[in-house]
Every structure is written in structure tokens, then in C-alpha cells.
Amino acid sequence: MASISVEPCTFALFGALGDLALRKLFPALYQLDRADLLHADTRVLALAREAGSVDEHLASIEAHLQEFVPAGQIEAPVLQRFLARLSYLHVDFLKAEDYQALAERVGSDSQLIAYFATPAAVYGGICENLDKAGLSARTRVVLEKPIGHDLESSRRVNDAVAQFFPENRVYRIDHYLGKETVQNLIALRFANSLFETQWNQNSISHVEITVAEKVGIEGRWGYFDKAGQLRDMIQNHLLQLLCLIAMDPPSDLSADSIRDEKVKVLKALAPIKGEGLSTQVVRGQYIAGYSEGKPVPGYLEEDNANAQSDTETFVALRADIRNWRWAGVPFYLRTGKRMPQKLSQIVIHFKETPHYIFAPEQRLQIGNKLIIRLQPDEGISLRVMTKEQGLDKGMQLRSGPLQLNFSDTWRSARIPDAYERLLLEVMRGNQNLFVRKDEIEYAWKWCDQLIAGWKQSGDAPKPYAAGSWGPMSSIALITRDGRSWYGDI
């Protein structure tokens, strides 16, 4: 049995027949049940606009569980127990009268968790109707990204939610914050003096954060073309990773202590303006190329594409943090679609030793690197220099890893999906893995100045072949500083 105590609740999933719910959220809830982390009295309520047969909708949810939970992890008794928790309710999210049926299902004293797997435009309406139904006082609401498309629109969404729910009952999801390795950043930095004493501009040369996707837009043209890679990835995932890498030690592990430190980082980000828009930032858009040896279309050739679109599918940039800890240390962020591989990693480059005593031709490989992999294989590797073995090797150096691979180290333990951890923490009422309103606003403020600069300059995204690491100018961006992207082949 699990040692974590979780109170009973009704978990109401708005948008229950959408892609996110079927692919990620129901499988995550099933895995929590399988791990004995759901209270026996917890109920799962699927809410959607679709009318029709309740049995057919429930059968569809079960079929998607069978598809998206690995076959070896589908256990008949657990599946039957989970399905017994599950019910379906047809609700028009913007009709207040439909919420009376929801109130009856929840009962008079049950904790309600309302997960909004819906467009952000209806968040305010859902919150208002929950309040009219007398449910707001005992409800925690979970908001999916994107929350708006700029600072102004994000404020409208957050203000609409705040009319009915205080900040301590609002949980804004960034699923990267639920990843095991991201959680380990806190432990790695603040539980090991080996790292924390070196975690500053005295010892660190530069930092890379790469989130690369092999896929294109996967039929999401309507959404993605209005967003672009900056809004879709930089504004949330990559800036959150940057904050966890760069923040000062929090006073404790409480939600607000951690989030206070992240906000300080966002406030210290130097704006990128004028000449910096051409020297510190690269926008790209993929053209036809090859992925896994097969030809794939360019962005403008995708289904339902607008051939005149100037939306970026790739962004690389240099960010600078104006504080004592990180003065002079560049953070290179890179993310794109149709990359050679699916990869999310952070590379911390440590400075060279002040006095070099080895053979000059080996100097290029000197430099310790801490590599934090988020996907595909979560783990942490520290590259250190050692001597080659053998009598004939002299003092020939080699770079090798001191490595922690989560799947190899804990062979008997399944690494939980990020959504499993996040849903569990919502049920526990723990907010430290969730994004506060002011974090959202400072991130948008920084990204908005980039978007405004691009619009003013009129520069089109640079083309890059699908299956490559982006435009050549993204290589120039980092080589201009005498560096290179780690691991590119």
C-alpha cells in the first residue's frame, strides 16, 4: 500500500473526450489507482459537451486506456476498480443550469477537483457556473496551458478565474514541472554542497537548454499557427526550466518560497531589443526534408496550411540574467519541431581550471559538464576528465561520465509520467509544482517584447530542412561567443 495520504475527492474532468484527457489524464489517473494512491472513495467524473450514449462514451474512454497504458501495466482488477469510479455527464460548460447535475453528483461535502482540459477562453465561464452551483468554496481548479497568447490576454483569463477562486486554490499546469528529473533539480542543487557552492558565475561558463521535437505540427495547424514555438514552448516550458536552474535557494520547500525565487529570475531577465533581435535570437520555419529516412513536408505544405504564414517552428536565443549569481553567464535556449531527434536536456558547462598543465592538443576536450536529461531517457550525467588506461598512454586524457540513469538504477521501479505526479499533488493540495499568476505574467512580459520586436522588424523566419538542427544562424548564435551546441551531430 502507498504511504502517501490522499483525501477522498470527486475529480471532474472538463473536456473529457478531448485528446489530452484520453491520451494523458485518464491513463495518469489509472496509474495512480494502480499504485494505491487514490482514496477508496474518490470518484472520477468525465464531463463533455457531447450528448449521445453514456455507455458509448465510457467505452471510448476504456478503449483509450487500453491503447495508451502499456499492455503489461493493464491489470484486470485495477482496471475494473478504476472503471467503477468513473461516470459520464453531458454538460454545456457555459450553461449554468447544467451544473446542478454536477452538484448532485459531487454531494454536499466532497472536495471537488475541476480540471479544465478546455480552451482557456471558457475558464472564466466554467468558474462562474461552479460558483452559481454552490461548488466554488470546496473546489480546486486546474488550468492547462496556454493561458492566453500574450500578457494582456493571460491577465483576462487569470482575472476571470480570480473572481471566484483565490490563488491558493488555482493550480496552473506545466507538465515539465512534474518530470522526475526536473524534481531532482531541487535535490541536486540544494542537497549537494558539491554543486551549490559552484552554482554561480565564478564556476559556470554557460548553460544550454534544448527541447527538440521530431514531429511536425501533427494536424494542429489551427492552434499552432496562431501560437508559434515561442508562445508554445519558450514562454512556459523552457523559461520554467531556466528558473529552476538559475533561482537562489528558497527558504524552505513551501510552494510560495520556491515560486518567489522563480519570479526573481524572470524579473532579472534582460530584455532583448534592437540589434539583439538579430544577434541573440533566431527564428526558423521548417521546409521539406527527411525524418527517420522518410520524406516529410515543409510547414507551409502541411494539411490546411496557409502558404503565407510567417509563424516560427524553431527558436534559439541567448538569455542573460542580471543579478550577482549569473552576471556574464549566457543561457542558450533552443526549441524546434522536425529536429533530428526527440530530446530535452539541460547542459551546465563549468569553467576550465585556471592553470592548464596537459598536452595543448587535448585542451579542447577539457571542461566538466553536468548533463540533465528529461527525455527520452531521464537521468543525470557528470562529464569528468580522467587519464586513459594503459602503459602506453602517458598522461592522455579522456572525458567520461559519472552517470545516474533512472531506468537502469531503479530497474524495478516505473518512472511515473509527469501528469501522475501533478494530479496527485493537486489531490494533496500541494502547489509547489504549479505556476503562480505572477510567474505567468513576467514570462509573458519578456516574450511579448520579442514578439513586438519581430513584428516591427518584419524579418521572416529562417528556413531549415526538416530533420536538421535548425537554421545555420542558430549555430552562428552560439559560435559567435566561441561555443557550440552540445551533442549535435
Side-chain angles (χ1 to χ4, degrees), residues 111-114 116 123 127 136 139-144 147 154 157-174 255-256 259 425-426 429-440:
Q111 171 74 57
L112 175 64
I113 294 172
F116 301 168
Y123 290 176
C127 291
S136 59
T139 298
R140 299 171 190 153
V141 293
V142 186
L143 312 184
E144 263 288 347
I147 299 177
S154 73
V157 173
N158 281 315
D159 288 348
V161 172
Q163 289 184 57
F164 306 100
F165 292 93
E167 187 67 23
N168 65 1
R169 285 194 278 122
V170 179
Y171 295 71
R172 297 175 188 84
I173 287 271
D174 184 330
D256 278 336
R259 296 188 293 188
E425 295 305 316
V426 175
N430 181 6
Q431 286 189 304
N432 31 359
L433 303 187
F434 299 87
V435 184
R436 202 167 60 189
K437 179 183 177 182
D438 53 349
E439 290 181 71
I440 295 278

Side-chain angles (χ1 to χ4, degrees), residues 409-429:
T409 303
W410 293 286
R411 291 182 183 276
S412 61
R414 184 185 67 87
I415 297 176
D417 180 78
Y419 277 103
E420 296 171 39
R421 182 182 303 279
L422 294 170
L423 297 184
L424 178 63
E425 295 305 316
V426 175
M427 294 177 193
R428 298 178 67 197

Side-chain angles (χ1 to χ4, degrees), residues 146-199:
I147 299 177
H149 61 272
D150 58 13
L151 176 60
E152 182 181 350
S153 59
S154 73
R155 280 178 171 164
R156 284 199 300 268
V157 173
N158 281 315
D159 288 348
V161 172
Q163 289 184 57
F164 306 100
F165 292 93
E167 187 67 23
N168 65 1
R169 285 194 278 122
V170 179
Y171 295 71
R172 297 175 188 84
I173 287 271
D174 184 330
H175 75 269
Y176 267 52
L177 298 183
K179 290 181 177 291
E180 191 75 25
T181 312
V182 174
Q183 289 301 290
N184 258 300
L185 282 175
I186 301 291
L188 184 76
R189 285 195 54 191
F190 304 126
N192 296 285
S193 61
L194 169 69
F195 292 119
E196 184 51 27
T197 56
Q198 308 299 310
W199 213 262

Side-chain angles (χ1 to χ4, degrees), residues 205-267:
S205 162
H206 61 289
V207 177
E208 293 177 50
I209 303 176
T210 294
V211 177
E213 303 172 272
K214 286 178 69 172
V215 298
I217 57 170
E218 296 187 295
R220 296 192 309 150
W221 176 275
Y223 159 73
F224 185 84
D225 198 57
K226 294 177 182 177
Q229 200 72 359
L230 182 82
R231 290 184 175 101
D232 195 42
M233 297 296 291
I234 297 280
Q235 186 273 335
N236 42 78
H237 299 328
L238 275 80
L239 286 185
Q240 283 293 316
L241 295 177
L242 181 147
C243 286
L244 289 170
I245 287 293
M247 72 182 192
D248 282 340
S251 58
D252 53 43
L253 290 178
S254 67
D256 278 336
S257 290
I258 292 173
R259 296 188 293 188
D260 286 347
E261 298 304 328
K262 290 198 290 178
V263 166
K264 290 177 185 177
V265 174
L266 292 169
K267 291 170 71 174

